[in-house]
Amino acid sequence: MAQRTRAVIVDIDNTTLSCDQRRAALCAEVAGRPVLEDDVRQDLYCARLLTSAQQASYFDAFLSTRLMFMDQPYPCAAETLEAVRSSGARIIFLSGRFLRPVDKSKATLQFMRQYGIFKEGDIAIFKPSMDVFDFDFKAAEIESLKKEYEILWAIDDTPRSLRIFKQEGIYSIAITTSYPPARFDFADLIVDGWDEVLARIQRGELIV
């Protein structure tokens, strides 16, 4: 049996790219008052700031392409991904950013190339439609990817998505950008930022 290519699976929103500026701006529009980036950290739906009805309006706006240009790579994300590439492992971006009704893939890849996040040899898989649940989409894709790749680990900011990797026997890394650490009590590793992931790679504590 041919040896499978080593790979890591990486989420985009609030994992590789910080959406906090965009989220704060959209939340401020809905709330009708200034909102800071720190106000939305570890609060994906802005539950501390908005009513239930306002949260729905905010998240609808977040799912649009408006203000996507405000997203920024997290510190050390590019350096960590480069360390993975240098080891010979492949990077697979598995994202809930969708292709329909609006195709977010082109703008996303262009942006990630600009910041050295996405490079030749990387793979990007986007959700086919906004109507598909992230959980179902990622579960199906992981089953397919495991047939071709040896998945070393996966990093994600959402507990529900990360549980899929855990259930599939994949080493799961939770980054606490959208939820507090307590929500990831099941994860193999919990980090506050990419610098912690890079340090573990450099110390040989995380396989690449």
Side-chain angles (χ1 to χ4, degrees), residues 83-104:
V84 173
R85 293 186 194 98
S86 297
S87 75
R90 177 160 285 184
I91 297 167
I92 302 173
F93 292 97
L94 185 61
S95 174
R97 293 193 176 194
F98 43 78
L99 303 177
R100 294 188 306 272
V102 179
D103 186 348
K104 292 186 173 184

Side-chain angles (χ1 to χ4, degrees), residues 50-111:
L50 304 174
T51 66
S52 296
Q54 287 175 326
Q55 287 175 45
S57 297
Y58 151 77
F59 208 68
D60 283 345
F62 178 74
L63 291 176
S64 73
T65 57
R66 190 164 62 86
L67 304 186
M68 271 178 51
F69 66 89
M70 299 180 73
D71 296 349
Q72 296 290 322
Y74 281 107
C76 277
E79 295 87 342
T80 306
L81 295 174
E82 192 59 37
V84 173
R85 293 186 194 98
S86 297
S87 75
R90 177 160 285 184
I91 297 167
I92 302 173
F93 292 97
L94 185 61
S95 174
R97 293 193 176 194
F98 43 78
L99 303 177
R100 294 188 306 272
V102 179
D103 186 348
K104 292 186 173 184
S105 64
K106 184 177 181 180
T108 298
L109 292 179
Q110 181 180 2
F111 184 85

Side-chain angles (χ1 to χ4, degrees), residues 11 94 134-136 138-139 142-143 146 154-175 179-190:
D11 181 46
L94 185 61
D134 280 15
F135 184 94
D136 295 334
K138 290 189 176 183
I142 292 164
E143 281 295 321
K146 284 178 65 179
I155 183 168
D156 204 296
D157 69 300
T158 306
R160 181 176 294 182
S161 294
L162 204 67
R163 282 188 183 278
I164 306 170
F165 300 108
K166 184 70 174 179
Q167 291 168 5
E168 291 290 336
I170 297 170
Y171 190 87
S172 58
I173 303 177
I175 188 165
Y179 293 92
R183 294 290 301 275
F184 298 103
D185 57 350
F186 62 90
D188 294 299
L189 176 64
I190 302 173

Side-chain angles (χ1 to χ4, degrees), residues 8-12 16 81 85 91-95 109 112 116-119 122-126 137 145 194:
V8 300
I9 297 178
V10 182
D11 181 46
I12 295 178
T16 310
L81 295 174
R85 293 186 194 98
I91 297 167
I92 302 173
F93 292 97
L94 185 61
S95 174
L109 292 179
M112 293 202 303
I117 298 295
F118 186 88
K119 292 189 174 182
D122 295 347
I123 296 171
I125 304 171
F126 295 92
F137 157 69
L145 289 168
W194 282 90

